Each structure stands twice: as C-alpha cells, then as structure tokens.
Amino acid sequence: VCAAAVFGLFGGCGGSGENNPTDAPTPAQTIRPTAAAVPTETPMPTRAPLVYSPDYHKTTPLMTKLVGEKAIKAARMVIDAFLKGETSVKFGFDSYEQTFAMNTVFAVNRMCPLFTAFALCNDYRDFDASTGVLKWKIINVEPNELDEKLQKFETTAIDFMSVLREGDNETERALLLYSRLPAYAQYDYEAYENPQNLTEDEYIYRTSAYSVMCDGMGICYSFAEAMTFLCAQADIDCIEVNCINDSIAHQWNLIKLDGEYYYCDATWDVGGTFNYFGMTTDERVKDSGGIKAEDMRSLSVSPEELLDGVVPSDTRFAVLREHVTSMPVTVEIDRANDRAVFTVGNESYSISCGN
C-alpha cells in the first residue's frame, strides 16, 4: 500500500471522543477468574522444538485469495530482488490489472517485514505498466547495512517461533505466538500522538512490523502486520482487517483456527492479556469505540465478501474474556491433553485446544 497513504490514514490511528477506545491500548479490566482450576502437580510432556528458519515466500490462503496468485508470484520476485540489494524488478507478465501494483506491494509488506521498514515504494507512482517494472528506494538504512538488519530480524523471528514445538496444532500455535507479541512489545505513543514530528521515512519504520518485532515498539498497523507474518510462518491462515470511519481508525487480524474464523487484536492486548483473542464479529464491534461491521475491510474487500458470506460467530474463546482478563497472563500448552493453561497470579485455568 502506498506509504504516504498509510502515513495519512494511521497517523491518527485511533478513535475520536472522550469515551471511545483508541488504537492505543488501555489497562485490562480485572475480573476474578472462576473457571475450573487445573491441577499443577502433573508435569507437562514435551515435544521436539520446531525446526524453523524464516521463509519470505510463505503467505496465507486468505492473502492469496485477497490479492490473487499473480500478485503473490510478483511479491516473491520483489522480495528476492530486495534481499539481494536491488531496487527494481521487471515482472514480464502479459498484462497488468489496475490493482496489480497495490496488491503486490500489500503482499510484499506482509511476507517480508524488512521491505516495509527499509524500502519506500509507492505502488502507483513507482510501477510502470508499460514496461512491467516496479521500483523502490532504500530508506532508514545504508544499503551496505541491510544484511545486518536482515540478520537482526531473522534472529528475532527465530526467537518468536521458538515457543512452538513439532506437532503443535493450529490453536496451540496461535495462542503461543499471540501470547508473545503483546507481552513483549509496547505501544508507540509518540508515533501515535505526534506523527507530525516524524519524517515520512521515520514514520514508516516506527509503524512497521520490523519495529514491533525487533525494537518492541509499534502501533496497530505494526502489531497486525507482525501477526500476519508470524501466522504465515507457522502455517496459520491470517490477514489484517481495518475499520476507518469518523469514530476510529484501527487495524487487527482475522484468523482461521480449526475451520472457524475469529478476530484477534494484539494491540489492545498489550501488556499480556487475551481480552481480544478469538472474537466473533459481535464481540469485535461491542464496546469498540466505533468499529462497525459494515466498515471493516481488508484492502477494499469486506471480511464477509472475503469469506464468501461467512460471519465469524464461533464463541469458543469467549471464556477468555470472562476468566483471564487480568494482566499479565501466561500461557502454557498441556500437550498430553491438548489444552492451553492460562496462569493469572497464583491460579491456573484451561481451555481445550482440540478440534
């Protein structure tokens, strides 16, 4: 997506009005857990650590459905050229749809967070459909230092993924990755409240998935992109969703687990809670400060259109909003029983991770 457009849309990335939640996270409400306690004397069995290295060609089915196979193929070409230090690529397709460049750059930014942080690419200005050439320029780093930034990101990504084990199912993987991001990263209030004090290049970096993963600072855009990248790396279907209207401008994720779709908002769970994990559409809209189902979009597509009429409605994770809302919440996987064990203070509670 055009960097300048992102700067404008999410520069004030929050709600308007004194009583409306903004993009900025607020302290979680404390509710005493009442779910059945899990015995702690039984040791949890282990599984082999996940063997992982970042794969910037990986994406999700939802991303492919949203932007199309051609854009995904083009995105991989851009990523390969960028990681070699190049600043342009010639695609060589027979024709180019009007949205081709937008879809390609959108996919690149989710598949390779380094591109978002260190490349400036305006999908309309920098693409020439007559030649099939897309150009970008390196920003926020000297070209000879890009490898160093790559190594830093890959080390960080490996650390995030280290919580996973071979054989973990979708729900287990999603809960473990989600628990890492909002517990580790902080909200960048300076970038949110005073974007006018930053240059465009600085704002692009501060709101990138690279920043939230490597520096532990970001806004909603950063958290949502990071979750899309991590989920793709863990073979979990995921995409970002936003809502921009007169009351709020915010971005979060749509995720598919065990055949059902849910909304997850790592930004509003900063501090280490699960208040906004596994939401239905009704839960997403409720008490959200202005989020409306009819205003939700991935690019220009509504979630309902993207999901062929399906509306996220499964309430499997509603218990988390009733019983584990204090912060911080830690989660471990009881792999013998496929259950997630949430610990709040001195008490532990569990939910099933099975299908």
Side-chain angles (χ1 to χ4, degrees):
V1 174
C2 170
V6 170
F7 186 82
L9 289 175
F10 289 95
C13 188
S16 62
E18 196 172 300
N19 296 321
N20 287 338
T22 67
D23 173 69
T26 56
Q29 181 183 8
T30 301
I31 301 176
R32 181 175 175 78
T34 58
V38 175
T40 58
E41 64 270 14
T42 303
M44 295 185 183
T46 59
R47 293 174 183 161
L50 181 71
V51 178
Y52 168 76
S53 61
D55 181 354
Y56 303 110
H57 279 200
K58 291 188 77 170
T59 189
T60 67
L62 282 171
M63 177 68 73
T64 302
K65 185 175 182 180
L66 180 66
V67 303
E69 292 281 358
K70 183 192 287 188
I72 296 299
K73 182 177 180 179
R76 289 168 178 154
M77 295 171 68
V78 172
I79 291 167
D80 290 345
F82 169 72
L83 294 178
K84 293 176 183 176
E86 299 171 6
T87 55
S88 68
V89 68
K90 183 177 177 65
F91 297 116
F93 296 116
D94 292 336
S95 61
Y96 300 95
E97 301 79 8
Q98 186 176 359
T99 58
F100 168 80
M102 178 184 70
N103 290 341
T104 297
V105 176
F106 183 89
V108 170
N109 287 337
R110 278 77 189 162
M111 295 162 66
C112 182
L114 286 94
F115 190 88
T116 317
F118 300 114
L120 180 61
C121 182
N122 182 302
D123 43 54
Y124 293 106
R125 180 192 64 212
D126 297 327
F127 177 64
D128 185 345
S130 67
T131 62
V133 173
L134 179 71
K135 298 179 180 179
W136 57 88
K137 70 174 183 178
I138 303 301
I139 59 172
N140 295 318
V141 68
E142 294 298 323
N144 60 359
E145 297 174 349
L146 193 57
D147 282 346
E148 179 182 337
K149 300 298 184 182
L150 174 62
Q151 291 302 317
K152 180 179 180 180
F153 180 79
E154 295 199 342
T155 298
T156 302
I158 290 169
D159 182 61
F160 268 93
M161 299 290 286
S162 69
V163 297
L164 307 185
R165 296 291 181 267
E166 297 286 353
D168 285 351
N169 65 33
E170 280 184 339
T171 298
E172 291 166 346
R173 281 176 269 141
L175 286 168
L176 288 169
L177 289 174
Y178 189 87
S179 71
R180 287 293 307 274
L181 190 60
Y184 154 78
Q186 301 177 43
Y187 191 84
D188 191 341
Y189 286 97
E190 182 181 4
Y192 164 66
E193 294 173 350
N194 301 296
Q196 71 279 1
N197 295 339
L198 304 175
T199 67
E200 182 181 8
D201 290 0
E202 289 171 337
Y203 186 82
I204 288 170
Y205 179 85
R206 294 272 289 269
T207 60
S208 68
Y210 183 97
S211 175
V212 82
M213 289 178 64
C214 292
D215 302 337
M217 296 289 288
I219 66 170
C220 66
Y221 188 77
S222 328
F223 283 87
E225 273 198 10
M227 278 303 301
T228 298
F229 172 80
L230 291 169
C231 285
Q233 296 296 295
D235 298 315
I236 300 168
D237 203 2
C238 182
I239 196 74
E240 292 114 285
V241 175
N242 67 59
C243 177
I244 301 172
N245 57 33
D246 291 339
S247 299
I248 196 168
H250 188 49
Q251 188 158 300
W252 62 96
N253 294 95
L254 173 67
I255 190 170
K256 184 179 183 182
L257 299 174
D258 302 323
E260 298 284 349
Y261 293 98
Y262 307 91
Y263 292 116
C264 300
D265 190 340
T267 306
W268 285 2
D269 270 331
V270 162
T273 64
F274 286 83
N275 293 322
Y276 298 96
F277 181 90
M279 293 179 288
T280 65
T281 298
D282 287 344
E283 289 174 321
R284 170 73 289 187
V285 170
K286 183 181 179 182
D287 300 327
S288 64
I291 294 175
K292 298 179 180 179
E294 60 266 29
D295 294 332
M296 295 181 189
R297 295 291 185 273
S298 289
L299 283 177
S300 61
V301 179
S302 71
E304 186 173 355
E305 182 181 354
L306 183 62
L307 303 181
D308 299 319
V310 174
V311 176
S313 58
D314 186 81
T315 58
R316 172 186 178 191
F317 297 104
V319 64
L320 299 181
R321 281 165 283 289
E322 299 173 11
H323 302 304
V324 288
T325 59
S326 302
M327 70 168 67
V329 179
T330 60
V331 60
E332 294 181 275
I333 302 301
D334 176 357
R335 293 181 168 93
N337 299 298
D338 284 328
R339 299 188 69 83
V341 181
F342 299 85
T343 300
V344 184
N346 296 321
E347 299 181 82
S348 295
Y349 308 90
S350 74
I351 64 171
S352 172
C353 292
N355 295 334

